Amino acid sequence: MTPRAATASTERAGRTDHTGHGGDAGHGDHAAVFRRRFLGSLVLTVPVLALSDHIGGAVGLGPDTVPLPGLWTILLGTAILLWAGWPFLAGGWQELRSRTPGMMLLIATAITVAYTASFAGELGIGGIEVWWELALLVSIMLLGHWIEMRAIGQARGALTALAELLPETAEVVSGDGTTRQVPPADLTVDDVVLVRPGTRVPADGVVVEGRADVDEALVTGESRPVNRAAGDRVVAGTVSTDGALRVRVSAVGEETALAGIRRLVEDAQRSRSRAQVLADRAAAGLFYLAVGSAVLTAVAWTALGDPDTALVLAATVLIIACPHALGLAIPLVVAISTTLASRNGILVRDRLALERMRRVDTVLFDKTGTLTAGAHTVTEAVALDGDTDGLLRLAAAVERDSEHPLARAIRAAAPDGVPDAGDPSFTAGEGMRGAVEGRTVSVGGPGLLRTEGLDVPADLSHVAGRAEERGAGVLWVLTDGAVAGAILVEDAVRPESREAVARLREEGVRVVMITGDAWEVASAVAGDLGIDEVHAEVLPGDKDRVVQELRERGRVVAMVGDGINDAPALSRADVGLAIGAGTDVAIESAGIVLASDDPRGVLAVRRLSAASYRTMVQNLWWGAGYNLVAIPLAAGVLAPVGILLPMAVGAVLMSVSTVLVALNAQTLRRLELTPAG
């Protein structure tokens, strides 16, 4: 391991051994351990306070109220040091062995100095007894760590929630139609499972029967259920809200989207950011500053003829300089921001990519499947007799059994009540033909008109012109050999794209579109959206060249694509965002994966990037900056005016800084990341 001056809190956020805390396995265990030790230390601290001259004497107790008060104080102080303070001693030893001095070593040094001086004082050596300060110090430190562990444990609770999203059992459909209950772990690929209304999908798969609205919020962040029917993919852990589905399993176990999301969140929370590197360096510097200040304090006060005060103030300097808050500053923000992102369909693979997103001034969108739906959609239908619905019904009847993308678009656009078609047939270069309600209906492109020797009717010439202008497809509908109308089909712009582009431009971000489509198609989409710059007829292999050109112009570029054809460009960009990944969450070329196909997710990433970085910087300033005032105060610079900082007060100030950092990090939870936000 590369030596670094990470605090124990930082180490706990990125490792699983947690040696600094006695080897407990997880943050939930840490919280329980520190809670028990804090409560035990509190019980031991009460009699120590009662036996002290300063505290006990003030309330009529003190050392004269019990026999052998020195022995009792030594026993209680030893228990506090070796049992309650053991996590700090063990953590300090680990930091010393690994040559990564930090918070634990500072605390261990401070409590060891306080204990040794007090023990020597009981033996008549030195005359310094700070038992009650030692007891309060350990108790306050334990309280601070308990608060820290609870905060990080809550932030990481999303990972546990993800693991609990799978149902306890799955219903496997046998060949004879009966079902049997099995654990999800026993499912295999190609099993067919029954998902009843209100239950969770046990594995990734494809719907083979049924229709239902499925709550996919865990994958896409979309709060509204999405309708799923035969042929659609569903994801493990999502919920069928109102209907039964039969699903053929396509992935199980660690191959599911749910497992992929969990891995991405874990990796993101472990990954180191620039702010984390800064925090580590600050922690290292603070350790040496604290030790140096403590030595100078001891030397100065000893030279002034007050060795007792010298020792107490030196220990106070060590205590108040503990980089506890600094160690919590970054890991807690990382934990909260990544879990918040995952709940909103933003999967962070690279923390550096998320940090860079706040500085992006150019967003490069791939067109197909990103700004557009990536599938043909009927954008206009014109009937010569004015009955557009009737025209779509006739066309859908003829195309009922066709799997051509244009046929699916027509069926999707047709209103209810599509009639049956008799003797449907397909002719290459012409299209589909069939008998519908006593009429011969044909649907096809320009080749159909040529074959039939027909011209475009004057009343439909504007449709043909618009299709040519936009690079869209036009299908002609004939009834009994005469043109009845025209249907314009194209890759429609997503409604959300308009808002995404408009809001990015409002934020001063230049929006660029890149596509392999013809200039006519690209210009039409760019005109609809108000895009600043267009690159059309670009081969997939040349997209990264466009990204490089933008970067050479001094732009900080985010590339938004589907993560497959756009892989080189996603890798070359300052920030690569794979959008609309759905169940394919493990896209290696992108630093950030947007599980939803909503391009407004780019806005959410920018908002999260700015907010998390701002919170990190605030925490760093507070975690380290307060020492600039606290250390001189602890060293006794105000002693000439009668102000000396007690050791216990130093511990309180250090713990208060930790609490403030934790509370500041919690403000991220109020951040709105919904697409419409």
Side-chain angles (χ1 to χ4, degrees):
M1 182 178 69
T2 303
R4 58 188 177 91
T7 66
S9 295
T10 301
E11 291 295 316
R12 290 194 303 276
R15 298 186 333 204
T16 56
D17 58 350
H18 305 293
T19 52
H21 284 170
D24 299 288
H27 289 86
D29 293 336
H30 284 316
V33 167
F34 279 105
R35 179 177 60 84
R36 288 195 301 270
R37 290 184 186 268
F38 165 68
L39 294 176
S41 179
L42 205 58
V43 171
L44 294 172
T45 297
V46 170
V48 172
L49 293 176
L51 290 172
S52 69
D53 289 326
H54 298 287
I55 306 298
V59 294
L61 297 175
D64 297 333
T65 59
V66 296
L68 301 174
L71 177 61
W72 284 109
T73 305
I74 290 175
L75 292 176
L76 291 169
T78 302
I80 290 172
L81 176 74
L82 297 182
W83 179 76
W86 178 252
F88 308 118
L89 297 175
W93 174 245
Q94 178 63 32
E95 289 181 354
L96 189 62
R97 287 182 57 192
S98 62
R99 298 180 182 178
T100 57
M103 176 190 64
M104 286 297 185
L105 186 54
L106 276 176
I107 297 175
T109 302
I111 62 178
T112 301
V113 168
Y115 176 83
T116 303
S118 298
F119 190 87
E122 291 291 347
L123 299 178
I125 304 173
I128 301 175
E129 295 181 19
V130 287
W131 290 114
W132 71 270
E133 290 94 335
L134 168 66
L136 282 180
L137 170 61
V138 172
S139 295
I140 292 170
M141 290 294 181
L142 289 171
L143 176 61
H145 276 69
W146 177 26
I147 294 172
E148 174 190 348
M149 290 299 101
R150 285 190 60 189
I152 293 182
Q154 290 169 358
R156 293 193 168 192
L159 292 178
T160 303
L162 285 174
E164 295 175 349
L165 283 175
L166 288 180
E168 294 183 1
T169 60
E171 285 191 72
V172 178
V173 181
S174 304
D176 59 2
T178 61
T179 63
R180 56 189 174 87
Q181 302 277 347
V182 301
D186 292 346
L187 292 174
T188 59
V189 174
D190 289 333
D191 278 347
V192 176
V193 295
L194 174 63
V195 182
R196 300 182 184 275
T199 62
R200 294 189 181 274
V201 178
D204 291 2
V206 178
V207 178
V208 294
E209 183 181 329
R211 178 182 292 272
D213 285 341
V214 178
D215 182 356
E216 298 182 345
L218 81 119
V219 174
T220 65
E222 172 59 58
S223 59
R224 294 170 298 182
V226 180
N227 190 262
R228 295 292 182 229
D232 293 332
R233 300 175 70 184
V234 291
V235 180
T238 56
V239 181
S240 175
T241 62
D242 61 353
L245 299 172
R246 290 178 186 255
V247 177
R248 187 176 302 280
V249 175
S250 61
V252 296
E254 289 301 305
E255 301 302 318
T256 63
L258 188 62
I261 292 172
R262 188 186 68 247
R263 286 194 297 271
L264 289 181
V265 175
E266 288 174 337
D267 291 345
Q269 291 186 347
R270 283 196 296 262
S271 66
R272 286 166 54 78
S273 63
R274 286 192 179 93
Q276 183 63 68
V277 172
L278 178 61
D280 292 346
R281 290 176 179 173
L286 190 57
F287 171 81
Y288 294 112
L289 174 64
V291 172
S293 300
V295 171
L296 287 176
T297 299
V299 170
W301 280 92
T302 301
L304 292 173
D306 195 347
D308 291 353
T309 301
L311 186 58
V312 172
L313 293 184
T316 304
V317 168
L318 291 175
I319 294 164
I320 204 167
C322 289
H324 194 196
L326 192 62
L328 188 60
I330 305 305
L332 187 54
V333 174
V334 169
I336 292 175
S337 62
T338 50
T339 50
L340 175 65
S342 69
R343 290 173 181 170
N344 287 273
I346 303 169
L347 308 177
V348 181
R349 297 187 63 249
D350 181 5
R351 285 290 312 176
L352 292 178
L354 181 60
E355 285 188 20
R356 284 192 296 267
M357 192 64 191
R358 67 188 174 83
R359 298 188 291 109
V360 163
D361 58 19
T362 302
V363 176
L364 178 61
F365 284 101
D366 177 57
K367 180 186 77 70
T368 306
T370 303
L371 294 175
T372 64
H376 290 89
T377 305
V378 173
T379 56
E380 186 176 2
V382 180
L384 289 178
D385 63 1
D387 186 6
T388 301
D389 287 349
L391 182 76
L392 289 171
R393 285 193 183 95
L394 291 176
V398 174
E399 301 280 7
R400 180 187 291 264
D401 297 325
S402 173
E403 289 303 315
H404 192 282
L406 299 183
R408 290 198 292 268
I410 291 174
R411 292 198 299 270
D416 295 335
V418 175
D420 293 328
D423 301 322
S425 62
F426 171 75
T427 303
E430 297 182 17
M432 293 293 297
R433 189 186 309 270
V436 183
E437 297 178 340
R439 291 175 288 179
T440 300
V441 179
S442 303
V443 181
L448 176 62
L449 296 185
R450 289 194 297 269
T451 300
E452 297 291 336
L454 299 172
D455 295 325
V456 176
D459 290 347
L460 297 177
S461 60
H462 67 286
V463 179
R466 190 149 48 245
E468 182 177 355
E469 177 185 329
R470 297 181 60 84
V474 61
L475 295 174
W476 302 97
V477 181
L478 278 57
T479 57
D480 295 330
V483 177
I487 300 174
L488 197 67
V489 182
E490 58 185 316
D491 187 5
V493 172
R494 297 181 188 275
E496 304 87 357
S497 298
R498 292 184 174 85
E499 182 182 348
V501 172
R503 289 173 59 187
L504 283 170
R505 296 184 69 189
E506 288 174 1
E507 295 177 8
V509 177
R510 184 173 181 81
V511 181
V512 183
M513 186 181 74
I514 190 168
T515 180
D517 280 346
W519 276 102
E520 294 82 2
V521 177
S523 297
V525 173
D528 285 349
L529 297 176
I531 287 175
D532 299 302
E533 183 178 334
V534 178
H535 297 265
E537 299 179 3
V538 178
L539 297 175
D542 293 333
K543 289 184 178 181
D544 65 324
R545 174 182 54 80
V546 175
V547 173
Q548 184 61 27
E549 290 176 356
L550 289 170
R551 295 184 67 190
E552 289 174 353
R553 284 155 50 183
R555 315 296 296 190
V556 181
V557 180
M559 169 68 189
V560 187
D562 61 14
I564 301 172
N565 295 329
D566 304 315
L570 287 168
S571 298
R572 188 175 293 275
D574 295 286
V575 181
L577 298 101
I579 192 171
T583 58
D584 186 16
V585 295
I587 298 177
E588 297 298 330
S589 55
I592 298 172
V593 178
L594 301 179
S596 170
D597 55 11
D598 190 336
R600 293 176 298 178
V602 177
L603 296 161
V605 176
R606 279 179 56 82
R607 190 178 302 121
L608 177 62
S609 175
S612 60
Y613 188 82
R614 181 174 61 251
T615 305
M616 284 182 184
V617 172
Q618 290 170 348
N619 281 358
L620 285 177
W621 272 108
W622 179 254
Y626 88 103
N627 284 284
L628 299 177
V629 175
I631 289 178
L633 187 62
V637 294
L638 295 183
V641 295
I643 299 177
L644 281 176
L645 189 68
M647 185 185 297
V649 174
V652 169
L653 289 177
M654 194 283 300
S655 294
V656 166
S657 71
T658 300
V659 172
L660 291 177
V661 165
L663 292 176
N664 189 47
Q666 297 298 327
T667 60
L668 279 174
R669 296 183 183 278
R670 299 198 296 267
L671 187 66
E672 290 291 336
L673 293 179
T674 54

